[in-house]
Amino acid sequence: MPSDTHEALLDVRDITVSFDGFKAITNLSLSVPKGSLRVLIGPNGAGKSTLLDTIIGKVRPDTGEVRFDGQVISTLPEHRIAGLGICRKFQAPGVLEGLSVRENLLLTARRDKGVLGILKSPTRAEQDRADELLHLTGLTGRADVPAALLAHGEKQWLEIGMVVAADPQLLLLDEPTAGMTAQETAQTAALIHTLAGRHTVLVIDHDMHFVELLNAPITVLHQGQVFREGDLHTLRADPDVMEIYLGRPRELVAHD
Amino acid sequence: MKLSTSTMAVIAVLIALAFAPLYLGAYPLTLLGRVLALSIAAVGVMVVWGRAGILSLGQGLFFGLGGYALAMHLKLVATPRGELPDFMLYNGVEALPWFWAPFASAPFALAMVLILPAAAAGLVAWLMFRRRITGVYVSIITQALLLAFVTWLNGSQGLTSGTNGVTDFQTFLGVNLRGPNVANGLYWVTLLFVALALCGTALLLRTPFGAILTAIRDNENRTRFLGFNPAAFKIAAFMLGGLLAGVSGALYTLHLGTISPAMIGTAFSIELVVWVALGGRASLIGAAAGLVLGQLVKDRISSAAPDAWLYVMGSLFVLVVLVMPQGVAGLLQGRRRPAPLPTPPSPLTREVSDAV
Ligand SMILES: Nc1ncnc2c1ncn2[C@@H]1O[C@H](COP(=O)(O)OP(=O)(O)OP(=O)(O)O)[C@@H](O)[C@H]1O
Ligand SMILES: [Mg+2]
């Protein structure tokens, strides 16, 4: 297993994370190859969000380390980790409500995010990038609308756009379809497929219909550990996986 | 554009203020000039607290640094060549202390009015925000630093003139401060600085810098994960707040002809915050207007019943926190816009609940 680690863009090595003695993650290892799309599922409290928190430096592992492109990042400050090209979309949308859609995208598209850098006017390239992101997220028609006035689904897309704006190598999406209609969910899946060509993407979601649309390798987390890895088809046939979803067993059952 | 109406209102008020010497008597004009000088510090509080969410209760420190920087120059100019300032003689000081000497130069002193407060604010902010100190702890630390400064000023009679403060100025840049037309001139200079502070800050807050400050206030972590370093932005905001307080302190010193520890202490620093809260800490104009009106009312009440003043201020503060966290400006805005956007929890209430 350790032989292929140099190929991995993200390499989580044997991390343990605890909150006041409670182990949210226990000896978890996970590696995600460059350019791939990976889906992370697991019952509530499995530690999915905590894993993302650890990757972006919001929480620090007690033991183990997180490597990115070969470099240990679990000791770096958060904005440095973000600067290396890891961006995360949180569960709750957090667009800058006072700014327009375009301004939100333009702000996160800035290369120089220092105090003085932000005071300069954006470069041509940065503006083009914002336009590109408007197009990508399907928000071109809403460019000048204040973000506060967007519909829920639009906010989620804007936030994905903001996360993508800095052109991160690794994109972490935590439940991007929460609260979306079936149609919005399908659009989001299409958006993620577009992104997956250019970025390495790790998606968490509970919506099995969405997971099916993503059609990507799945890692199942349970009680802070990797429980299974495989495709949706195999996992659905796995009685142990069904077992841990007991209590919400219909989730893994096909929607059709 | 809805902004232009309020911008026009501000311009109208500034113009009306510019002509005040023509229609106001000597005492009201003096009072107005002083209060306008203070409103520059209020603009700083608006940036630091209203936008960046940092509740500093020690703005008097930076106000005092600006004030003392100018006062030292004025004192040296008023002292005959080769002699020591009077209070040093009384206290048995035999040679001009090293840090006094360069203040004999007007350009140096004027530069220090800007540099000292900004640098001190930058240092304090760097120490606090690098370590991610937030909320009530910031309020406590800033208050404690101010207290230390005031204590030092009081205790160092020979260096700072202690509780008496630095007084007896005569000329500034060759102008006799007791001359007949000085009052109007000083008033206009003050108004010019108020206008500059308001416009400069308004323009700055309209850049992405302002947007990021708001984002930090509402959710510091999120900005961090978008790749911005909140500490750097908070330090910059705090420095601007310190700079504005310093300019305000220097102007105020000119208006009063003196600066003393009592003018910059805890009561002053808290009052500043109260007025800004009352006017509306999220609004530049609200902050400045809150201070101006508050001080004018204070002048009335405290000359009628000096003891009542503290109670009035305390009650106002409680009222603002409980009933209108966005101040009067917030109330007005709420009326203009039928469905107000959800306001973030007031940093004050948040800090209180953090502390519990
Ligand atoms: N800051 C924290 N302090 C204490 N416990 C925490 C903290 N964050 C997470 N936990 C606990 O760690 C466990 C894992 O939580 P986590 O949020 O990672 O789960 P999840 O897999 O994302 O669940 P969900 O599907 O509900 O989002 C939970 O039991 C949670 O209560
Ligand atoms: Mg979660």
Side-chain angles (χ1 to χ4, degrees), chain A residues 56-58 60 77-79 82-83 86-90 92-97 99 107-108 110 112-115 118-120 148-149 159 162-163 166, chain B residues 51 132 203-212 214-216 218-219 221-237 339 341-342:
Chain A
I56 61 168
K58 191 179 171 197
R60 303 288 166 178
E78 292 94 319
H79 68 276
I86 301 183
C87 283
R88 173 200 184 159
K89 188 201 160 303
F90 283 82
V95 298
L96 308 182
E97 306 237 310
L99 301 184
L107 199 57
T108 41
R110 292 300 193 90
D112 183 352
K113 293 199 168 76
V115 174
I118 217 71
L119 289 175
K120 295 183 202 129
L149 301 182
E159 211 191 349
M162 289 169 69
V163 172
Chain B
R51 286 308 278 270
R132 298 200 185 164
L203 286 179
L204 183 70
L205 291 181
R206 242 181 250 181
T207 66
F209 176 78
I212 292 170
T214 312
I216 290 172
D218 294 345
N219 192 339
N221 268 333
R222 284 208 40 87
T223 49
R224 187 170 286 136
F225 299 122
L226 287 174
F228 299 96
N229 180 8
F233 285 85
K234 286 164 95 173
I235 292 170
L341 300 171

Side-chain angles (χ1 to χ4, degrees), chain A:
Chain A
M1 170 134 197
S3 58
D4 63 346
T5 45
H6 57 275
E7 302 238 345
L9 181 66
L10 174 71
D11 191 12
V12 176
R13 290 191 181 174
D14 202 22
I15 59 164
T16 297
V17 177
S18 53
F19 299 110
D20 302 320
F22 167 74
K23 285 191 176 170
I25 291 183
T26 320
N27 301 112
L28 183 146
S29 296
L30 175 79
S31 91
V32 182
K34 212 171 215 155
S36 64
L37 170 61
R38 174 73 58 95
V39 179
L40 206 59
I41 65 171
N44 288 111
K48 304 180 298 291
S49 297
T50 305
L51 174 60
L52 297 199
D53 286 342
T54 315
I55 296 170
I56 61 168
K58 191 179 171 197
V59 300
R60 303 288 166 178
D62 302 342
T63 59
E65 61 189 24
V66 180
R67 283 172 174 266
F68 179 70
D69 224 358
Q71 180 189 357
V72 176
I73 58 167
S74 35
T75 49
L76 297 179
E78 292 94 319
H79 68 276
R80 291 276 316 279
I81 296 178
L84 285 176
I86 301 183
C87 283
R88 173 200 184 159
K89 188 201 160 303
F90 283 82
Q91 254 170 292
V95 298
L96 308 182
E97 306 237 310
L99 301 184
S100 73
V101 170
R102 164 189 276 282
E103 285 166 333
N104 265 287
L105 292 170
L106 195 52
L107 199 57
T108 41
R110 292 300 193 90
R111 289 245 159 258
D112 183 352
K113 293 199 168 76
V115 174
L116 295 178
I118 217 71
L119 289 175
K120 295 183 202 129
S121 41
T123 64
R124 191 68 247 163
E126 286 163 348
Q127 295 186 18
D128 290 346
R129 179 85 180 121
D131 288 335
E132 190 187 334
L133 290 161
L134 280 171
H135 180 71
L136 185 75
T137 51
L139 293 171
T140 309
R142 308 282 274 161
D144 298 317
V145 176
L149 301 182
L150 291 181
H152 179 76
E154 290 175 321
K155 269 190 196 169
Q156 298 274 19
W157 294 328
L158 171 57
E159 211 191 349
I160 293 177
M162 289 169 69
V163 172
V164 172
D167 207 8
Q169 295 193 66
L170 177 63
L171 203 57
L172 307 168
L173 303 175
D174 198 347
E175 305 201 18
T177 66
M180 282 191 182
T181 64
Q183 200 206 338
E184 287 171 335
T185 301
Q187 280 174 276
T188 308
L191 170 60
I192 290 173
H193 276 298
T194 320
L195 295 173
R198 185 162 170 175
H199 313 270
T200 305
V201 187
L202 183 62
V203 189
I204 295 181
D205 219 292
H206 280 298
D207 181 348
M208 283 306 136
H209 178 58
F210 176 60
V211 171
E212 201 170 351
L213 287 174
L214 289 178
N215 188 27
I218 299 171
T219 299
V220 184
L221 243 57
H222 179 47
Q223 294 182 343
Q225 287 178 306
V226 173
F227 187 74
R228 284 288 188 283
E229 297 196 316
D231 61 31
L232 188 59
H233 199 69
T234 336
L235 294 175
R236 269 181 179 149
D238 188 328
D240 293 337
V241 173
M242 298 310 285
E243 174 77 25
I244 64 164
Y245 266 95
L246 221 65
R248 13 192 324 168
R250 282 184 309 132
E251 276 200 351
L252 272 188
V253 181
H255 277 249
D256 45 14

